[in-house]
Amino acid sequence: MTSRKSRDLLSTELSPHVSDVTPGRGALRPARSWLHSDAPSLSLNGPWRFRLSPTASGPEAFAVDGFDDQGWDSIPVPSHWVMEGDGAYGRPIYTNIQFPFPIDPPYVPDENPTGDYRRHFDLPADWSDAERVLLRFDGVESLFRVWVNGVEVGGASGSRLAHEFDVTSAVHTGDNTVAVRVHQWSAASYVEDQDQWWLPGIFRDVTLLARPVGGIEDVWLRTGYEDGHGRIEAEITADASAFPVTLRIPELGVEHVWTAPGEVAPLDVPEVRPWSAEEPLLYEATVSTAAETVALRVGFRTVEIRGDLFLVNGRRVVFHGVNRHEAHPERGRVFDEEHAREDLARMKRFNVNAIRTSHYPPHPRLLDLADELGFWVVLECDLETHGFDQVDWAGNPSDDPAWREVYLDRIRRTVERDKNHPGIVIWSLGNEAGTGGNLAAMSAWVHARDAGRPVHYEGDYTGEYTDIYSRMYASVPEAEQIGADGARSPLLNCTPAQSARQRTKPFLLCEYAHAMGNGPGAFDQYEALVRRYPRLHGGFVWEWRDHGLLATAPDGRPYYAYGGDFGEVVHDGNFVMDGMLLSDDVPSPSLFEFAAVTRPIDLVFDGGKVAVTNLRHTADTTDLSFRWRVEHDGVLVGSGELDVPVLAAGESGWATLPPVTAATDAETWLTIDVALAASTPWAPAGHVVATAQLDCTARRPVPTVRPQAEWQPCDGNRSLGSAEFSGGSLVRLGDRAVTGPWLELFRAPTDNDESPSDGVEGSDDSIAGTSNADLWRRDGLDRLTVRRIRVEHTADALRTLDKVSAANSAAWVMVESIWSLEDGELELRVEIEPSCGWRTVWPRIGIRFELPDGAAPVDGAEWFGLGPLESYPDSLRAARTGRFTATISDLSVDYARPQETGHRSELRRLTLTSGATEVLRVTPLPDTRGRRPGFTLSRHTPQQIARAEHPFELADSTTSHLIIDAVQHGLGSRACGPDVWPEFALRPESRTIRLRITAG
């Protein structure tokens, strides 16, 4: 057995730099701002020669000037090598918490894919006048070393951070060679265990910079705002010989000259407008010497914590935010500005006002776009050591002095690069790295460097070194206990004294509402708490988008791959598919739900008026129009503009509703849409930011159930109107085969359903470590069996009584189905009554019909009810009552792992179609408590969907399946958060489903 000492010696001999915790070596320059300068620069993006080796210990002869690399491949920079070459350079790896290698810091396996890069560049002759030439790398994963003309100039780690090397002495006019060696694994990998794909390579820009004599090394224009006045505190880093330095802001008439470094002092600017996420006003500024001009965009705003309130420009901020990774299905983390701009514009259209840059600084241009379009930004350092949780945090670098400089270097590079952005209002030390002295040292450095922005880190539960109390996935009751002034319950990992201290700070949910697959639920419950308790400042949904990578299925169809699809030995499956935006940029229903809950204008009906509240931080309502419309059963009968007074941010007012005459034979609904009055950089005029509906229907009684004459036994082979029955079961309607109904208690488990319970949240029947889906399969809800007890009839009715049992349960359900002719229409009434002894919540209570294709396959639906998207008991706020149409494929969401999808709630009327032809009409009647059923229409049964791991695994079907649900279990956020709220948990109960059915 090899001793630890022997192994350490061996590792040192093979590749000492890979296990070195020093963050950078050689001619590495100090961190500074990412500036827009008129000094010469040369992009080195483009094709590079490339060779991949299986280990980190290959010979370094490739870096020698004149080395023959003609036999090498070509690879684009920026890119990830595992995303190139169709698998020739390895494959992506996805893990959430666990490391993809043994935990043995700072060592990594000898099997360490290493990419060698080479390219030539021509240095212009006029660059010989430069004081220095810098080579900048904006992002390399994970450790890299650099040679120029055969001379090693240095190396660095910190994958999502910028590094600049002074290559002045190594370059010359004319042809030059740069060589870079990149190791996939290094000591740095232990502090980059973010929930994402491991994607090695040079994935951000590479740039050569000519730094002029008398140039500007760095600029920081710190701004403040109060009562219409701005303030600039300038920090100019330049040699004394570079002065005078001139600051110009033409729009404000500012032209200020500092003739010497000692003269640089704060500058008051009268009559400025503030920057905010809603009104992102930026002023073009330049800072110039005789040799160089740097361009910046300045936004005036003051960030402060006052008591337990987080304020910008004196007003409380509510973060309606998302966690954002850099992710693209074909490029990985390679930045594309056009796509990023549209991504941010999409966020704005869905009422997202804040971004947490989980869990690293993004490409610097993204922050320019965020300033321009308007977002509150929590900028997070490139730091996470989550895998140490698997060993109870033993050996965690966060409290190891040997790693102190690694941590400090990362926060310095984070803050220095992006300090000029007004949108950044909070610095975050990183994510899920435990706690310890190194994090405290990072916080101390930030406080000393930038007193104008607070420090965040969720893992500082007791508040020893951060300014904001932050938690992830706190339940609704726990969040209320944090927000309520009178609460005294101890907080997570806190003593009573520490709990009291944390309650004096602003509270932020840095992650909540885990948006994995179909879910989450309870957006509205969290939002209600934020409105009730000022200490609660909102939070950031996990997360913005799915991280699927485009791949090809065995049958040639494209699909979006997740963990395990690339043959990884260690992976975390589809946990990387947890966004409100699907991998192909399609918004999921959860994004519409988020937008409805976080609407910036609140509308509350009260008699013949509506109370309008402007919930915005800064903007008044002059940019909005208020439109009303009246519909009868979803058909427009009137519309107009609502007269609403102009409301300042935070102000409320009243508007008079138009007179509405209820229809005598239809439902009458008044809808108010709040829309943009003019186009913005992120949405066209008419874009709706908030909607509210008022039911103005004149109530009508539900048709009573006609008592039947005495029932007589029969064989069940008969007809009722256009319906034909065999053995008591429907087999045909008119000229088309329609079979059913069958009791359906199962749904294809959502990702939340599949998540193990902690035994605390949700159902009383939760078993710690067991998912609801496991319990449903345990009890056989996916394998129901039917025993028909009897079939009876009258002259115009047919009744069946079935005992439905689950495969592995002694419990059962009695199902009574009565078919009758009522006023010439075929009516079905199903009474569902469970026995005692069911041990868990149910997924649904519904009945299923099958419609084989025949001559006219069912391909769509028209309905009057809630729509247009799917809805569930704890996710209804985005739904509105109206008339909608959709194809059968569009009724379902193409989640990366097939699961329950497509349920539409509160159905009034449904027509199944084949092209323009009506196939079947269904009119549900509310039950005795006024509850209406919902429907799901799919080409696959819940059982078939549950067996598939990817959409391409669902075979083509020749049958459509219609499920009418009396009720469904809620969605919750259990994949990484609270379970379904008890109010929306479906415990076994009796239900009635009543339908009137007509063949097309």
Side-chain angles (χ1 to χ4, degrees):
M1 183 176 182
T2 305
S3 69
R4 174 62 183 263
K5 180 178 180 181
S6 299
R7 186 179 59 186
D8 289 354
L9 288 172
L10 180 60
S11 299
T12 301
E13 290 169 0
L14 291 176
S15 48
H17 55 283
V18 173
S19 57
D20 188 354
V21 298
T22 304
R25 292 188 177 279
L28 188 61
R29 298 286 297 171
R32 65 189 185 114
S33 299
W34 197 85
L35 297 170
H36 300 274
S37 167
D38 65 354
S41 65
L42 177 67
S43 172
L44 298 188
N45 293 350
W48 288 53
R49 308 299 291 178
F50 180 74
R51 175 185 68 183
L52 184 67
S53 302
T55 69
S57 57
E60 298 172 3
F62 82 98
V64 175
D65 194 23
F67 177 84
D68 184 3
D69 57 19
Q70 293 305 304
W72 289 18
D73 297 332
S74 177
I75 196 171
V77 169
S79 71
H80 305 281
W81 69 63
V82 293
M83 301 284 286
E84 302 293 327
D86 197 23
Y89 308 129
R91 310 298 294 271
I93 298 171
Y94 167 65
T95 62
N96 170 28
I97 296 173
Q98 59 187 333
F99 290 107
F101 46 75
I103 302 175
D104 184 24
Y107 304 107
V108 293
D110 291 340
E111 295 180 7
N112 186 357
T114 295
D116 291 333
Y117 296 77
R118 284 174 56 88
R119 70 156 291 166
H120 291 262
F121 64 88
D122 284 321
L123 193 73
D126 58 2
W127 280 40
S128 60
D129 296 332
E131 181 179 48
R132 288 189 309 278
V133 177
L134 304 183
L135 179 59
R136 185 178 69 213
F137 294 83
D138 284 314
V140 184
E141 183 174 330
S142 69
L143 171 70
F144 67 106
R145 298 164 65 193
V146 184
W147 292 261
V148 174
N149 295 325
V151 177
E152 184 169 4
V153 296
S157 62
S159 297
R160 270 68 68 174
L161 303 169
H163 297 88
E164 292 181 335
F165 298 91
D166 189 335
V167 297
T168 310
S169 62
V171 297
H172 49 74
T173 299
D175 182 62
N176 293 261
T177 305
V178 58
V180 183
R181 171 162 285 182
V182 181
H183 305 290
Q184 176 160 13
W185 311 122
S186 69
S189 302
Y190 284 102
V191 295
E192 294 180 1
D193 187 31
Q194 293 100 337
D195 176 9
Q196 61 179 347
W197 293 97
W198 298 88
L199 300 173
I202 306 174
F203 68 94
R204 286 186 185 158
D205 306 294
V206 182
T207 312
L208 205 65
L209 307 171
R211 302 298 307 131
V213 175
I216 301 168
E217 182 66 13
D218 202 0
V219 173
W220 186 5
L221 300 182
R222 290 187 253 201
T223 65
Y225 175 83
E226 185 175 7
D227 296 331
H229 297 275
R231 183 175 175 85
I232 297 175
E233 295 182 20
E235 181 181 294
I236 311 297
T237 304
D239 290 339
S241 60
F243 282 76
V245 173
T246 303
L247 168 65
R248 293 184 178 89
I249 308 178
E251 189 175 348
L252 297 176
V254 172
E255 182 165 342
H256 193 84
V257 180
W258 295 294
T259 60
E263 292 185 3
V264 178
L267 181 67
D268 290 325
V269 185
E271 299 184 15
V272 302
R273 292 173 57 197
W275 184 98
S276 75
E278 291 167 1
E279 296 181 320
L281 183 68
L282 297 169
Y283 295 96
E284 300 290 338
T286 59
V287 179
S288 303
T289 68
E292 181 180 18
T293 295
V294 171
L296 303 89
R297 293 189 296 182
V298 175
F300 290 90
R301 53 97 184 105
T302 295
V303 179
E304 65 176 316
I305 291 177
R306 190 183 304 163
D308 60 358
L309 297 180
F310 178 87
L311 309 175
V312 174
N313 297 333
R315 292 187 59 83
R316 172 177 174 254
V317 173
V318 174
F319 295 92
H320 292 136
V322 294
N323 285 275
R324 180 192 180 274
H325 270 294
E326 291 190 310
H328 188 275
E330 296 177 81
R331 296 187 297 271
R333 282 188 288 278
V334 175
F335 183 74
D336 178 270
E337 184 164 330
E338 182 179 352
H339 184 263
R341 180 181 288 275
E342 173 53 30
D343 221 25
L344 297 189
R346 187 183 292 110
M347 288 184 189
K348 297 284 286 189
R349 292 195 293 272
F350 282 92
N351 294 335
V352 174
N353 72 359
I355 298 169
R356 176 180 176 226
T357 67
S358 55
H359 298 293
Y360 45 82
H363 190 284
R365 273 294 290 159
L366 183 100
L367 298 169
D368 288 339
L369 300 179
D371 289 343
E372 174 188 323
L373 293 172
F375 290 92
W376 312 115
V377 175
V378 177
L379 192 74
E380 196 146 87
C381 184
D382 189 7
L383 175 67
E384 183 167 340
T385 68
H386 205 170
F388 286 92
D389 178 61
Q390 307 293 294
V391 292
D392 295 325
W393 298 102
N396 181 23
S398 295
D399 204 32
D400 184 345
W403 293 77
R404 177 70 53 88
E405 184 55 30
V406 171
Y407 280 57
L408 290 174
D409 179 75
R410 285 171 180 259
I411 195 63
R412 283 194 294 261
R413 292 189 179 279
T414 297
V415 171
E416 297 294 357
R417 193 196 75 169
D418 299 325
K419 56 186 179 283
N420 280 294
H421 291 282
I424 298 172
V425 292
I426 298 173
W427 298 114
S428 180
L429 303 180
N431 184 68
E432 292 175 317
T435 189
N438 293 339
L439 288 156
M442 294 170 74
S443 180
W445 184 89
V446 176
H447 283 116
R449 182 68 175 123
D450 183 11
R453 283 178 273 217
V455 174
H456 163 275
Y457 175 65
E458 189 265 351
D460 180 27
Y461 297 122
T462 60
E464 299 296 327
Y465 47 85
T466 50
D467 305 305
I468 294 167
Y469 183 35
S470 175
R471 287 285 309 286
M472 53 179 67
Y473 308 110
S475 66
V476 170
E478 186 180 5
E480 184 165 23
Q481 285 298 303
I482 294 168
D485 282 339
R488 295 292 182 267
S489 60
L491 302 178
L492 180 70
N493 294 345
C494 287
T495 66
Q498 291 166 339
S499 298
R501 176 171 64 188
Q502 292 294 65
R503 284 191 172 97
T504 67
K505 299 178 180 180
F507 176 72
L508 197 61
L509 280 163
C510 67
E511 295 179 20
Y512 82 110
H514 192 262
M516 186 174 182
N518 190 346
F523 277 137
D524 54 347
Q525 292 176 281
Y526 286 102
E527 181 68 10
L529 293 182
V530 170
R531 295 191 190 183
R532 190 179 311 149
Y533 301 111
R535 181 182 304 141
L536 308 184
H537 287 73
F540 298 82
V541 174
W542 188 267
E543 64 170 302
W544 170 239
R545 65 159 60 241
D546 283 357
H547 296 200
L549 299 180
L550 189 62
T552 304
D555 63 2
R557 284 188 288 174
Y559 76 103
Y560 293 98
Y562 49 75
D565 288 338
F566 297 106
E568 307 104 300
V569 176
V570 177
H571 66 85
D572 284 308
N574 72 317
F575 209 72
V576 75
M577 306 300 229
D578 46 13
M580 295 191 291
L581 193 70
L582 303 183
S583 299
D584 57 359
D585 293 343
V586 172
S588 74
S590 67
L591 189 51
F592 288 88
E593 183 75 2
F594 176 89
V597 169
T598 61
R599 61 188 186 182
I601 305 296
D602 195 37
L603 302 164
V604 178
F605 296 102
D606 187 355
K609 294 185 175 183
V610 58
V612 183
T613 301
N614 181 1
L615 299 173
R616 294 159 148 189
H617 176 272
T618 307
D620 63 23
T621 57
T622 54
D623 63 325
L624 301 175
S625 65
F626 294 78
R627 304 191 305 244
W628 63 266
R629 66 179 183 274
V630 174
E631 295 169 318
H632 290 166
D633 276 2
V635 177
L636 183 68
V637 296
S639 63
E641 293 284 332
L642 196 66
D643 186 13
V644 177
V646 174
L647 301 172
E651 190 177 5
S652 296
W654 291 90
T656 301
L657 296 174
V660 178
T661 302
T664 58
D665 58 349
E667 290 190 33
T668 301
W669 286 85
L670 169 67
T671 302
I672 297 177
D673 287 332
V674 184
L676 296 178
S679 296
T680 71
W682 46 270
H687 169 74
V688 175
V689 300
T691 296
Q693 284 191 308
L694 178 65
D695 187 355
C696 303
T697 303
R699 298 300 170 194
R700 300 184 304 277
V702 177
T704 59
V705 177
R706 179 172 58 88
Q708 299 292 334
E710 188 167 335
W711 295 100
Q712 299 292 327
C714 70
D715 61 6
N717 300 325
R718 59 164 301 176
S719 298
L720 281 176
S722 63
E724 296 181 14
F725 300 86
S726 176
S729 296
L730 179 68
V731 294
R732 182 168 290 277
L733 274 172
D735 59 357
R736 134 164 244 119
V738 181
T739 60
W742 294 279
L743 178 69
E744 187 62 83
L745 302 179
F746 185 67
R747 72 183 186 193
T750 66
D751 291 310
N752 291 316
D753 294 335
E754 290 282 9
S755 180
S757 169
D758 59 10
V760 177
E761 299 289 347
S763 166
D764 294 336
D765 306 305
S766 292
I767 299 174
T770 305
S771 71
N772 276 336
D774 287 339
L775 297 176
W776 299 339
R777 288 184 285 256
R778 176 202 68 183
D779 288 353
L781 294 184
D782 57 337
R783 305 182 304 282
L784 300 179
T785 59
V786 180
R787 180 169 65 85
R788 179 143 292 173
I789 295 175
R790 60 178 177 268
V791 182
E792 300 172 321
H793 75 126
T794 65
D796 57 0
L798 181 68
R799 179 171 73 170
T800 62
L801 183 65
D802 296 332
K803 182 178 182 179
V804 181
S805 302
N808 297 327
S809 175
W812 68 86
V813 182
M814 298 304 297
V815 180
E816 181 187 51
S817 301
I818 299 176
W819 294 89
S820 60
L821 291 175
E822 307 291 341
D823 303 324
E825 289 186 282
L826 183 66
E827 182 171 305
L828 168 64
R829 179 163 56 92
V830 181
E831 302 285 352
I832 300 165
E833 185 174 349
S835 71
C836 298
W838 291 98
R839 299 177 290 176
T840 185
V841 296
W842 279 354
R844 70 185 340 142
I845 300 175
I847 54 175
R848 177 162 55 89
F849 298 89
E850 293 188 354
L851 293 86
D853 280 352
V858 173
D859 59 13
E862 302 174 359
W863 75 98
F864 176 47
L866 289 189
L869 302 175
E870 64 185 29
S871 55
Y872 293 83
D874 54 353
S875 185
L876 285 167
R877 293 286 293 276
R880 68 178 191 275
T881 302
R883 188 186 296 266
F884 307 99
T885 63
T887 66
I888 193 168
S889 59
D890 288 342
L891 285 168
S892 299
V893 178
D894 198 17
Y895 294 113
R897 185 188 69 81
Q899 56 195 276
E900 163 64 30
T901 178
H903 178 76
R904 267 72 177 175
S905 307
E906 298 187 22
L907 181 65
R908 278 80 161 171
R909 193 158 50 251
L910 171 67
T911 301
L912 305 188
T913 58
S914 180
T917 303
E918 289 190 3
V919 173
L920 191 71
R921 293 195 299 276
V922 179
T923 304
L925 302 175
D927 66 11
T928 56
R929 292 171 57 182
R931 298 173 297 190
R932 299 179 182 276
F935 83 96
T936 304
L937 179 65
S938 173
R939 298 293 283 178
H940 299 93
T941 68
Q943 291 78 6
Q944 291 169 336
I945 296 170
R947 288 192 290 269
E949 295 295 327
H950 301 86
F952 67 81
E953 297 172 27
L954 289 167
D956 292 339
S957 172
T958 58
T959 301
S960 297
H961 304 273
L962 172 65
I963 301 177
I964 303 294
D965 282 317
V967 62
Q968 278 234 11
H969 185 59
L971 298 175
S973 189
R974 187 160 141 175
C976 189
D979 201 351
V980 174
W981 189 246
E983 178 184 350
F984 306 114
L986 176 55
R987 291 172 176 81
E989 61 181 44
S990 297
R991 282 284 187 155
T992 299
I993 297 175
R994 192 176 173 196
L995 312 172
R996 291 197 170 178
I997 304 174
T998 306

CSV table of all heavy atoms in Angstrom, one decimal, residues 603-607 609-611 654 657 670-672 692-694:
chain,number,residue,atom,x,y,z
A,603,LEU,N,-53.9,45.2,-8.6
A,603,LEU,CA,-55.3,45.6,-8.9
A,603,LEU,C,-56.2,44.8,-8.0
A,603,LEU,O,-56.2,43.5,-8.0
A,603,LEU,CB,-55.6,45.3,-10.4
A,603,LEU,CG,-54.7,46.0,-11.4
A,603,LEU,CD1,-54.9,45.3,-12.8
A,603,LEU,CD2,-55.1,47.4,-11.5
A,604,VAL,N,-57.0,45.5,-7.2
A,604,VAL,CA,-58.0,44.8,-6.3
A,604,VAL,C,-59.4,45.4,-6.5
A,604,VAL,O,-59.6,46.6,-6.4
A,604,VAL,CB,-57.6,45.1,-4.8
A,604,VAL,CG1,-58.6,44.4,-3.9
A,604,VAL,CG2,-56.2,44.5,-4.6
A,605,PHE,N,-60.3,44.6,-6.9
A,605,PHE,CA,-61.7,45.0,-7.2
A,605,PHE,C,-62.4,45.2,-5.9
A,605,PHE,O,-62.3,44.4,-4.9
A,605,PHE,CB,-62.4,44.0,-8.1
A,605,PHE,CG,-61.8,43.8,-9.4
A,605,PHE,CD1,-61.0,42.7,-9.7
A,605,PHE,CD2,-62.0,44.7,-10.4
A,605,PHE,CE1,-60.4,42.5,-10.9
A,605,PHE,CE2,-61.4,44.6,-11.7
A,605,PHE,CZ,-60.6,43.5,-11.9
A,606,ASP,N,-63.3,46.3,-5.9
A,606,ASP,CA,-64.1,46.6,-4.7
A,606,ASP,C,-65.3,47.3,-5.2
A,606,ASP,O,-65.3,48.5,-5.5
A,606,ASP,CB,-63.3,47.5,-3.7
A,606,ASP,CG,-64.0,47.7,-2.4
A,606,ASP,OD1,-65.2,47.2,-2.3
A,606,ASP,OD2,-63.5,48.3,-1.5
A,607,GLY,N,-66.4,46.5,-5.3
A,607,GLY,CA,-67.6,47.1,-5.8
A,607,GLY,C,-67.5,47.5,-7.3
A,607,GLY,O,-67.0,46.8,-8.1
A,609,LYS,N,-65.4,49.7,-8.3
A,609,LYS,CA,-64.1,50.4,-8.4
A,609,LYS,C,-63.0,49.4,-8.4
A,609,LYS,O,-63.2,48.2,-8.0
A,609,LYS,CB,-63.9,51.5,-7.4
A,609,LYS,CG,-64.9,52.6,-7.5
A,609,LYS,CD,-64.5,53.7,-6.4
A,609,LYS,CE,-65.4,54.9,-6.6
A,609,LYS,NZ,-65.0,56.0,-5.7
A,610,VAL,N,-61.8,49.8,-8.7
A,610,VAL,CA,-60.7,49.0,-8.6
A,610,VAL,C,-59.6,49.8,-8.0
A,610,VAL,O,-59.3,51.0,-8.3
A,610,VAL,CB,-60.2,48.4,-10.0
A,610,VAL,CG1,-59.8,49.5,-11.0
A,610,VAL,CG2,-59.0,47.5,-9.8
A,611,ALA,N,-59.0,49.2,-6.9
A,611,ALA,CA,-57.8,49.9,-6.3
A,611,ALA,C,-56.6,49.5,-7.0
A,611,ALA,O,-56.3,48.4,-7.3
A,611,ALA,CB,-57.7,49.4,-4.8
A,654,TRP,N,-57.7,55.0,-6.9
A,654,TRP,CA,-58.9,54.3,-7.3
A,654,TRP,C,-59.3,54.7,-8.8
A,654,TRP,O,-59.0,55.8,-9.2
A,654,TRP,CB,-60.1,54.7,-6.4
A,654,TRP,CG,-59.9,54.2,-5.0
A,654,TRP,CD1,-59.3,54.8,-4.0
A,654,TRP,CD2,-60.4,52.9,-4.6
A,654,TRP,NE1,-59.4,54.0,-2.9
A,654,TRP,CE2,-60.0,52.8,-3.2
A,654,TRP,CE3,-61.0,51.8,-5.2
A,654,TRP,CZ2,-60.3,51.7,-2.4
A,654,TRP,CZ3,-61.3,50.7,-4.4
A,654,TRP,CH2,-61.0,50.6,-3.1
A,657,LEU,N,-64.8,51.4,-12.5
A,657,LEU,CA,-65.0,50.3,-13.6
A,657,LEU,C,-66.1,50.7,-14.5
A,657,LEU,O,-67.0,51.4,-14.2
A,657,LEU,CB,-65.3,49.0,-12.9
A,657,LEU,CG,-64.2,48.4,-12.0
A,657,LEU,CD1,-64.8,47.2,-11.3
A,657,LEU,CD2,-63.0,48.1,-12.8
A,670,LEU,N,-64.8,40.5,-16.6
A,670,LEU,CA,-64.2,41.8,-16.9
A,670,LEU,C,-62.7,41.6,-16.6
A,670,LEU,O,-62.3,41.1,-15.6
A,670,LEU,CB,-64.7,42.9,-15.9
A,670,LEU,CG,-63.9,44.2,-15.9
A,670,LEU,CD1,-64.0,44.9,-17.2
A,670,LEU,CD2,-64.4,45.0,-14.7
A,671,THR,N,-61.9,41.9,-17.6
A,671,THR,CA,-60.4,41.8,-17.5
A,671,THR,C,-59.8,43.2,-17.7
A,671,THR,O,-60.2,43.9,-18.6
A,671,THR,CB,-59.9,40.9,-18.6
A,671,THR,OG1,-60.5,39.6,-18.5
A,671,THR,CG2,-58.4,40.7,-18.5
A,672,ILE,N,-58.8,43.4,-16.8
A,672,ILE,CA,-58.0,44.7,-17.0
A,672,ILE,C,-56.6,44.3,-17.2
A,672,ILE,O,-56.0,43.4,-16.5
A,672,ILE,CB,-58.1,45.5,-15.7
A,672,ILE,CG1,-59.5,46.0,-15.4
A,672,ILE,CG2,-57.1,46.7,-15.8
A,672,ILE,CD1,-59.6,46.8,-14.1
A,692,ALA,N,-55.7,41.5,-14.3
A,692,ALA,CA,-56.6,41.0,-13.2
A,692,ALA,C,-58.0,40.8,-13.8
A,692,ALA,O,-58.4,41.5,-14.8
A,692,ALA,CB,-56.7,42.1,-12.1
A,693,GLN,N,-58.8,39.9,-13.2
A,693,GLN,CA,-60.1,39.5,-13.8
A,693,GLN,C,-61.1,39.6,-12.7
A,693,GLN,O,-60.9,39.3,-11.5
A,693,GLN,CB,-60.1,38.1,-14.4
A,693,GLN,CG,-59.5,38.0,-15.7
A,693,GLN,CD,-59.7,36.7,-16.4
A,693,GLN,OE1,-59.5,35.6,-15.8
A,693,GLN,NE2,-60.2,36.7,-17.6
A,694,LEU,N,-62.3,40.0,-13.1
A,694,LEU,CA,-63.5,40.0,-12.1
A,694,LEU,C,-64.6,39.2,-12.8
A,694,LEU,O,-65.0,39.5,-13.9
A,694,LEU,CB,-63.9,41.5,-11.9
A,694,LEU,CG,-65.2,41.7,-11.0
A,694,LEU,CD1,-64.9,41.2,-9.6
A,694,LEU,CD2,-65.6,43.1,-11.0
